[in-house]
Amino acid sequence: MDTITYFKDRFEKLQEQQLDSRLKSLRDGAFSAFEQTGIPTVKHEEWKYTRISDFFSKDYHFTTDLQEQQFRATELQPFLLPGHENANIIVFVNGHYHAEHSVLRSEELEIISLEAAAHNQYAGIVETHLGHSADYHKDGINALNTAFIQEGVFIHIQKGKTVNHPVYIYNVTDARSGNIFAQPRALVHVGENAQVEILETFATIGADESFTNQVFEIAVEENAVLSLYKIQNDAANSTIVSTTHVHQVGKSVANVVTISLSGGLVRNNLNMVMSAPYCEANLSGLYLQSGHTHVDNHTVVDNRQPNCLSNELYKGIMNGHATGVFNGKIFVRQIAQKTNAYQTNKNILLSGNATVNTKPQLEIFADDVKCSHGCTVGRLDEEALFYLKARGISEATARSLLLHGFALDVLEKIGSEDVRQYVNKLVTASLNLG
Amino acid sequence: MLSIKDLRAGIEEREILKGINLDIKPGEVHAIMGPNGSGKSTLASVLAGKQDYEVTGGSVTFEGKDLLELAPEERAGEGIFLSFQYPVEIPGLSTTNFMKTAVNEIRKYRGQDELDAVSFLKKMKEKMALVEIDQSMLSRSLNEGFSGGEKKRNEIFQMAMLEPKLAILDETDSGLDIDAIRIVANGVNKLRTPENGILVITHYQRLLDYIVPDFVHVLYNGRIVKSGTKELAYELEERGYDFIKSELA
Ligand SMILES: Nc1ncnc2c1ncn2[C@@H]1O[C@H](COP(=O)(O)OP(=O)(O)OP(=O)(O)O)[C@@H](O)[C@H]1O
Ligand SMILES: [Mg+2]
């Protein structure tokens, strides 16, 4: 059975079961988009270096087929992030939101299912923002997630409130009995003058293959501040396609830091859509890979209004046979005068077999803008290495000091002290191995 | 303590050092002068163990050990320090962290315990005062955005921290203002004990008023072509290198 037929069966069943769903027509539209394009292959311009189609020729369980999973809180234990005890917790297992493992600690925060939100006072927000990422991703994998939205999660942050506890999102895939294809989905609405810090991670349990196709949409209102830290440190048998779509509806600040330390294949799509004047977006990323892993960061900064500022800094350290991709698009619409958009991508290859493809893509239709971009792919600086060794520092220590120094300005973008220290520890540990 | 015999080294096909002979005994200060491109920094780099240069002949022993057999970090462990002509900028690594690592790696090499935090800080404070350098500079990324003079002063700070047996100073005076030369010289003179040796590479006699050498050598075209006492430096200052070239001709 080909992939489209496979999903069509399941899609039709889902639509029949949920006749009165408010999300039904959204799913319909998405499924026909999926039918037209299918799973993107390397022939697709945006997927040239990242092959995800192989997974679909294997046998796998799709989340709609699965019975409610037996999942115990202890199974989450190995993946807990520091500060877990004080955080609002959201747990997805195989793409399903698990309310019983989730914890709500902040009253400024509301967590309900997308389906429920589509029926209550949030219906307008859901209608405006759910599926907005599709405007930026004309490929079947994004559509496939939307086509199968069931409960999903809607997170609402009350206007004028600073969420006093961070929000931790665990995307767990249970691949203990067969390959799994999971599709977590969330929509976050950060109200006017609200502030929130979100930390998310991905974890695979079991030795079979996992494929997580996540779509995470966030709408940020006037004067709000969003900080999102994405930590990817998953197993070698995992594939992650993580689409994060930040829509700055009002003048606001959005900080997103993406740290990719391991995992079989990682594809991050990060969109910063600035739909109000004077928005600020900071996008940073560090990818540190070895073995046969692959990490691909595709970013889009869309300046739709004047006077917005974006700072983008991505750094990569690649060892072994690891392959990396950075693709940074910056759109400056005609009306978006006085845009300031900066982009840097720097890579260090530690092995002759590691590669990085880096590509800035600037499409500028306004004339009064400041845009800069620069990318480098190089080796560890031998002069610097000698300088350190001449001070008595061993080769291995010298290398890790230099690499840590290289990564430091990305780590410093992590605003939360706890998270920064934690990530720093992970980074240091993995640099010592290299 | 250091004995260089007929040392030949070069890069690819090109020979840069063409048979260097030099002996430094404990307590001695030697100065090397010589025109641009004569091989002074190459000699310093070869002594510190830079891999770019291939040693094609001769020997170097340091306190009885075959120096050329040792890795750069082992040479530092044995007590060799090179103050770089062009100190390298290291993003994301502060001088403080750099020195903490260096001091402890050298201690480890010598079979000593790590320096505890309190002793390390005490040592830092003492050496900071010696070279009149302040904390803010030591917290910044090493050499990044430092002025020429600041880089050189930082080198001497590192030397003071590591307390080497043999310090090789490659044009540490260039780029320094008059006060800074005095400060740097003061730092170097602190190291001047009956046990330690110092090799100063410079273009200017002025530094040698502060760090008074026992011997002055002229390195020309990969060889030491003339040696003398501190008076030789005055003569060079006055007459340039031409008289040496004509002596050789
Ligand atoms: N890494 C290298 N690659 C190629 N040539 C080199 C290299 N290092 C040194 N050389 C050459 O060897 C010669 C000696 O250089 P060196 O830096 O030792 O001179 P120097 O005496 O220190 O000069 P200066 O007074 O200008 O510092 C020069 O001609 C230089 O170009
Ligand atoms: Mg030189």
Side-chain angles (χ1 to χ4, degrees):
Chain A
M1 194 184 339
D2 72 63
T3 316
I4 291 180
T5 321
Y6 173 93
F7 285 112
K8 197 175 174 76
D9 279 1
R10 285 156 180 83
F11 178 72
E12 280 165 358
K13 236 180 264 163
L14 170 71
Q15 292 294 68
E16 273 165 34
Q17 282 163 9
Q18 306 210 347
L19 279 178
D20 56 350
S21 165
R22 283 264 177 106
L23 304 174
K24 197 163 179 288
S25 68
L26 179 70
R27 287 196 296 253
D28 260 329
F31 196 79
S32 46
F34 171 69
E35 272 183 306
Q36 278 163 33
T37 45
I39 301 291
T41 67
V42 292
K43 289 195 199 102
H44 192 294
E45 181 58 29
E46 300 294 326
W47 293 86
K48 206 164 147 191
Y49 301 107
T50 300
R51 180 190 292 272
I52 57 169
S53 49
D54 291 353
F55 178 87
F56 297 93
S57 53
K58 299 172 186 156
D59 281 337
Y60 55 92
H61 300 295
F62 182 45
T63 45
T64 51
D65 303 343
L66 294 169
Q67 298 305 312
E68 189 55 29
Q69 287 284 309
Q70 287 284 329
F71 184 80
R72 284 169 295 131
T74 51
E75 287 166 329
L76 198 59
Q77 209 68 34
F79 310 109
L80 294 188
L81 298 164
H84 178 89
E85 316 70 37
N86 287 313
N88 298 288
I89 310 293
I90 294 172
V91 178
F92 286 95
V93 179
N94 293 340
H96 296 287
Y97 169 59
H98 275 222
E100 67 276 28
H101 299 301
S102 301
V103 182
L104 186 63
R105 282 201 169 86
S106 302
E107 55 189 24
E108 305 84 13
L109 203 71
E110 203 175 332
I111 303 173
I112 54 176
S113 82
L114 275 170
E115 186 67 59
H119 287 272
N120 68 13
Q121 75 268 30
Y122 301 122
I125 294 170
V126 172
E127 191 172 343
T128 313
H129 296 292
L130 188 64
H132 194 251
S133 60
D135 290 0
Y136 292 81
H137 298 286
K138 304 289 176 210
D139 62 47
I141 195 79
N142 181 276
L144 189 58
N145 182 301
T146 305
F148 285 92
I149 296 179
Q150 294 178 66
E151 70 274 32
V153 169
F154 176 72
I155 304 169
H156 184 258
I157 293 124
Q158 261 180 51
K159 67 177 176 188
K161 298 289 165 123
T162 297
V163 181
N164 52 353
H165 301 283
V167 181
Y168 284 18
I169 302 177
Y170 294 91
N171 297 290
V172 181
T173 316
D174 185 349
R176 281 176 294 193
S177 44
N179 302 332
I180 293 283
F181 179 59
Q183 302 204 109
R185 179 78 180 216
L187 173 64
V188 180
H189 184 251
V190 190
E192 278 170 37
N193 289 299
Q195 289 197 24
V196 66
E197 196 173 81
I198 302 172
L199 178 61
E200 66 161 339
T201 192
F202 299 79
T204 296
I205 302 172
D208 290 323
E209 283 189 48
S210 78
F211 190 128
T212 302
N213 177 32
Q214 180 212 33
V215 177
F216 191 7
E217 292 167 318
I218 306 170
V220 188
E221 300 285 352
E222 185 80 8
N223 275 321
V225 180
L226 163 78
S227 296
L228 171 65
Y229 309 121
K230 196 187 286 255
I231 298 175
Q232 296 166 325
N233 196 17
D234 206 349
N237 51 326
S238 69
T239 294
I240 297 169
V241 176
S242 171
T243 301
T244 301
H245 180 78
V246 179
H247 190 183
Q248 296 181 263
V249 191
K251 168 185 169 286
S252 55
V253 178
N255 306 307
V256 181
V257 185
T258 306
I259 308 284
S260 312
L261 297 173
S262 60
L265 183 152
V266 175
R267 162 66 177 254
N268 292 311
N269 297 312
L270 173 61
N271 309 331
M272 303 298 239
V273 179
M274 299 193 277
S275 291
Y278 295 100
C279 281
E280 179 184 329
N282 299 301
L283 311 71
S284 318
L286 175 68
Y287 42 98
L288 215 154
Q289 302 283 322
S290 58
H292 283 84
T293 58
H294 177 81
V295 59
D296 175 349
N297 280 292
H298 264 64
T299 65
V300 174
V301 175
D302 188 4
N303 293 272
R304 305 174 65 91
Q305 290 293 325
N307 289 297
C308 291
L309 166 68
S310 61
N311 288 299
E312 184 166 10
L313 176 67
Y314 272 75
K315 288 193 167 181
I317 298 172
M318 309 295 279
N319 204 353
H321 287 78
T323 49
V325 179
F326 174 79
N327 186 289
K329 278 197 187 123
I330 297 175
F331 295 121
V332 182
R333 311 274 169 155
Q334 201 170 353
I335 138 170
Q337 299 294 354
K338 308 249 184 255
T339 288
N340 282 303
Y342 306 104
Q343 182 187 88
T344 306
N345 173 232
K346 290 188 178 170
N347 299 280
I348 293 182
L349 304 181
L350 295 176
S351 117
N353 295 317
T355 58
V356 171
N357 276 293
T358 169
K359 183 173 166 199
Q361 255 179 294
L362 276 59
E363 293 184 29
I364 301 172
F365 300 100
D367 42 37
D368 184 14
V369 300
K370 274 195 206 126
C371 278
S372 73
H373 64 90
C375 49
T376 59
V377 181
R379 313 217 147 253
L380 201 59
D381 180 356
E382 288 293 327
E383 295 290 321
L385 205 55
F386 175 62
Y387 186 60
L388 266 57
K389 290 200 282 184
R391 297 293 178 257
I393 299 173
S394 68
E395 168 95 22
T397 309
R399 292 175 83 85
S400 69
L401 281 179
L402 290 178
L403 293 172
H404 186 267
F406 172 76
L408 191 69
D409 50 0
V410 176
L411 299 179
E412 282 171 348
K413 298 281 196 274
I414 302 176
S416 149
E417 175 76 29
D418 278 359
V419 179
R420 190 169 59 244
Q421 277 185 15
Y422 169 72
V423 173
N424 192 29
K425 227 179 265 168
L426 292 178
V427 167
T428 307
S430 72
L431 288 177
N432 285 343
L433 292 176
Chain B
M1 65 191 320
L2 181 77
S3 171
I4 305 175
K5 292 212 160 58
D6 196 30
L7 178 66
R8 290 166 185 276
I11 209 147
E12 278 146 25
E13 291 301 281
R14 186 173 160 211
E15 191 169 60
I16 301 171
L17 303 181
K18 301 171 180 171
I20 302 267
N21 290 290
L22 182 67
D23 264 299
I24 300 180
K25 297 201 171 61
E28 289 178 354
V29 175
H30 289 241
I32 291 185
M33 303 181 83
N36 294 131
S38 57
K40 303 182 296 298
S41 295
T42 303
L43 174 61
S45 299
V46 169
L47 293 178
K50 193 165 186 180
Q51 247 94 66
D52 302 19
Y53 301 100
E54 194 194 343
V55 175
T56 49
S59 66
V60 181
T61 50
F62 180 66
E63 306 218 293
K65 288 199 174 118
D66 181 355
L67 197 66
L68 300 176
E69 284 297 305
L70 301 179
E73 59 272 30
E74 294 171 325
R75 299 182 197 201
E78 293 294 332
I80 288 186
F81 178 90
L82 168 62
S83 170
F84 283 63
Q85 181 174 2
Y86 304 109
V88 187
E89 303 194 356
I90 316 278
L93 175 63
S94 67
T95 307
T96 306
N97 272 342
F98 178 39
M99 279 299 105
K100 200 177 283 170
T101 312
V103 164
N104 284 325
E105 293 245 330
I106 287 178
R107 291 181 69 90
K108 195 162 89 189
Y109 179 83
R110 294 177 184 165
Q112 298 164 325
D113 285 341
E114 279 199 2
L115 211 56
D116 62 78
V118 176
S119 317
F120 178 77
L121 272 176
K122 188 163 161 268
K123 189 170 182 147
M124 286 272 291
K125 284 238 170 71
E126 183 192 317
K127 308 301 182 186
M128 277 159 64
L130 178 65
V131 297
E132 298 179 27
I133 209 168
D134 62 50
Q135 182 60 51
S136 67
M137 191 157 125
L138 301 185
S139 321
R140 283 164 59 185
S141 281
L142 181 59
N143 292 323
E144 210 179 36
F146 286 18
S147 76
E150 285 169 344
K151 285 181 183 169
K152 295 304 172 78
R153 204 187 283 205
N154 192 283
E155 292 290 288
I156 296 306
F157 170 73
Q158 294 174 32
M159 183 197 76
M161 287 296 294
L162 300 179
E163 298 172 329
K165 286 187 210 156
L166 174 69
I168 304 164
L169 311 176
D170 192 356
E171 294 197 28
T172 303
D173 53 334
S174 63
L176 291 181
D177 65 44
I178 299 156
D179 291 339
I181 289 191
R182 202 180 26 75
I183 293 164
V184 159
N186 185 30
V188 175
N189 286 329
K190 274 266 159 38
L191 202 71
R192 199 166 180 178
T193 66
E195 295 81 42
N196 292 340
I198 297 170
L199 180 60
V200 189
I201 297 170
T202 183
H203 284 295
Y204 307 106
Q205 189 279 325
R206 191 213 312 264
L207 179 68
L208 306 180
D209 282 343
Y210 297 101
I211 306 172
V212 182
D214 300 300
F215 301 97
V216 175
H217 311 276
V218 179
L219 185 64
Y220 176 67
N221 196 13
R223 287 190 187 89
I224 289 179
V225 294
K226 199 174 175 70
S227 296
T229 53
K230 62 179 191 240
E231 284 70 28
L232 178 57
Y234 285 103
E235 196 176 355
L236 291 169
E237 181 93 0
E238 217 156 275
R239 301 172 65 185
Y241 290 109
D242 278 353
F243 86 95
I244 292 192
K245 290 179 196 166
S246 53
E247 272 180 28
L248 288 173

